Amino acid sequence: MKKLIENVAIVLMLIFLATSVAGFILDRPVLVSYAYSESMTPTIDKGDLFFINPLSKAGDVGDIIIFHRRDGWTVHRIYAITEEGYITKGDNNVATDQQDGVYPPVTEKDVIGKVIVIGGHPLVIRGGGDFIENLRSKMNNVYIVGALIIIGTVLTFSGGKKNKKHRKKSKRFFKVPMKTVYAAVSVLIIAGFLFVTMASWGTLAFTYSSTLAGGQKEGWYLPGTTFEKNLSVENHAVYPFYYFIEPKSERVRLLSEDTFEIPGDGSHSVLLAVSVPGDTRIYREEIEVHSYPAILPSGTIRWAYNIDPYLPLLLYSIELAAIMMVFYYLAGIGEGEIVRIRVRRRSILSKITGDGLL
């Protein structure tokens, strides 16, 4: 039982590492991320690594959340809660993010998780983000992918060969073939890739006021008029991404293309035309954004997206599964023994749990 618990812990650790590494490469916070600025100092200093609970998105005043806004990912504290969403503020900032009207309140669907807090203090690794940032600046994506392949190969093939003396004793054990373990690892890799991709989906949002005092202040417009709005879509990842944008309101229409590709560390400007309603009040408009790694032809992704936004994920799964299968045959992965569970036990419980060894 002790060994079984250890094996489960190892698998969970591998899943954590795989999703975290993928998140850093694609610049999509999943389970761990780091602070890019000093806005949360001294709670989370610039360059500090912090851990994320992606299952907790509904926040309360005082919670530290990770959310997406049009200029990237942000980790700030919930300062207040309104009907429109969360009012957020960095611990080191004087004003809230929404005070000048540049950023709208944060909705729950913009939140990807909350910072894990233990004993009233966030779980951080001081300076951990600086190390990762330096590593990313010195290694391009080809080297990173190559390193991951080498590490995965070493982990996959380690323990495959046994000496003859050990093979004689292994007759009392149930053997799990190498191909079974490889299949399980492949499924975890594909699932992690899809999870990171979906974590990047979100919305671009902005607010404006329909008022009879339109024009007297930025963001104030006369009822019944139309104004143009520029939004910037940024890709902070090292890989190029395809982006698909779609206004969620009939009041907003696109004046530029709704599909485009952004290279790594690049940006793209989106021009909108907004029709101001006749009712005088504050309005919030949202632009839905779906992004996909550029590892398939753009025409294929566009065709699949027009059918359903989740269909490109299926195509990615097929492509990755094919790559895993080709690697399986080229590497000549055989029937090496990985997990051994004793067959002869005195109790039924022992037969079920066994003492699997890695």
Side-chain angles (χ1 to χ4, degrees):
M1 178 61 72
K2 179 180 179 181
K3 198 64 180 180
L4 178 62
I5 295 176
E6 292 178 358
N7 293 340
V8 172
I10 291 174
V11 171
L12 293 177
M13 181 61 68
L14 289 175
I15 295 174
F16 174 81
L17 291 176
T19 54
S20 299
V21 170
F24 279 122
I25 294 176
L26 301 178
D27 195 47
R28 302 295 194 268
V30 181
L31 299 175
V32 63
S33 187
Y34 60 95
Y36 295 87
S37 69
E38 299 176 348
S39 63
M40 282 297 293
T41 301
T43 308
I44 303 176
D45 292 327
K46 180 180 180 181
D48 284 354
L49 201 72
F50 57 85
F51 296 87
I52 304 169
N53 178 6
L55 302 179
S56 179
K57 296 185 178 182
D60 201 354
V61 174
D63 290 342
I64 303 175
I65 59 175
I66 300 91
F67 57 95
H68 185 270
R69 60 187 189 187
R70 57 177 175 266
D71 57 354
W73 298 97
T74 303
V75 52
H76 277 176
R77 193 183 299 275
I78 297 178
Y79 184 78
I81 301 177
T82 66
E83 294 182 357
E84 291 78 17
Y86 301 133
I87 303 299
T88 55
K89 175 181 175 296
D91 290 358
N92 196 36
N93 292 346
V94 176
T96 65
D97 300 333
Q98 293 75 21
Q99 181 167 320
D100 56 4
V102 175
Y103 299 109
V106 179
T107 61
E108 188 173 321
K109 59 185 175 183
D110 296 327
V111 179
I112 64 166
K114 293 194 296 187
V115 174
I116 297 177
V117 176
I118 299 179
H121 301 282
L123 182 61
V124 301
I125 298 178
R126 299 297 182 185
D130 290 333
F131 171 78
I132 295 174
E133 187 65 28
N134 291 334
L135 185 64
R136 285 187 60 184
S137 63
K138 296 178 181 178
M139 298 177 63
N140 60 33
N141 52 349
V142 176
Y143 293 145
I144 293 176
V145 173
L148 291 177
I149 293 176
I150 293 174
I151 294 174
T153 303
V154 172
L155 292 176
T156 302
F157 286 101
S158 61
K161 295 183 179 180
K162 306 292 180 180
N163 55 44
K164 294 182 179 180
K165 182 178 180 180
H166 188 74
R167 288 183 183 275
K168 292 181 180 180
K169 295 182 179 180
S170 65
K171 294 181 179 179
R172 299 174 55 192
F173 293 85
F174 172 73
K175 300 179 181 180
V176 178
M178 172 73 79
K179 62 182 181 181
T180 302
V181 176
Y182 184 81
V185 173
S186 299
V187 170
L188 292 177
I189 292 175
I190 295 174
F193 176 86
L194 298 180
F195 180 79
V196 171
T197 300
M198 288 189 293
S200 68
W201 295 355
T203 57
L204 295 175
F206 62 93
T207 58
Y208 61 93
S209 297
S210 174
T211 173
L212 297 178
Q216 297 185 14
K217 187 177 180 181
E218 184 179 359
W220 289 10
Y221 301 96
L222 290 171
T225 60
T226 301
F227 68 93
E228 294 184 354
K229 178 73 174 180
N230 266 303
L231 295 179
S232 178
V233 182
E234 298 181 353
N235 178 17
H236 296 282
V238 296
Y239 276 86
F241 269 72
Y242 302 129
Y243 286 83
F244 297 82
I245 59 175
E246 183 178 353
K248 301 181 67 174
S249 170
E250 295 181 353
R251 296 185 294 267
V252 180
R253 59 186 177 89
L254 289 171
L255 298 180
S256 55
E257 66 272 22
D258 60 353
T259 305
F260 46 86
E261 179 180 347
I262 302 180
D265 292 324
S267 62
H268 184 87
S269 180
V270 177
L271 183 61
L272 308 172
V274 183
S275 299
V276 182
D279 294 338
T280 56
R281 63 181 180 88
I282 298 176
Y283 289 87
R284 172 189 170 96
E285 306 294 357
E286 295 182 347
I287 310 298
E288 193 169 17
V289 179
H290 290 87
S291 58
Y292 305 91
I295 59 176
L296 284 174
S298 60
T300 302
I301 297 299
R302 185 180 297 108
W303 168 81
Y305 176 83
N306 289 334
I307 297 176
D308 189 276
Y310 288 93
L311 186 56
L313 301 181
L314 177 60
L315 299 182
Y316 284 134
S317 301
I318 296 174
E319 180 187 30
L320 293 176
I323 294 175
M324 296 292 183
M325 188 174 297
V326 170
F327 180 76
Y328 172 83
Y329 285 106
L330 292 179
I333 299 176
E335 301 289 336
E337 177 185 342
I338 297 298
V339 180
R340 302 179 303 156
I341 303 178
R342 289 186 182 274
V343 176
R344 297 180 182 179
R345 289 289 180 180
R346 295 182 179 180
S347 66
I348 297 177
L349 179 61
S350 298
K351 289 183 179 181
I352 296 176
T353 57
D355 60 346
L357 301 175
L358 283 177

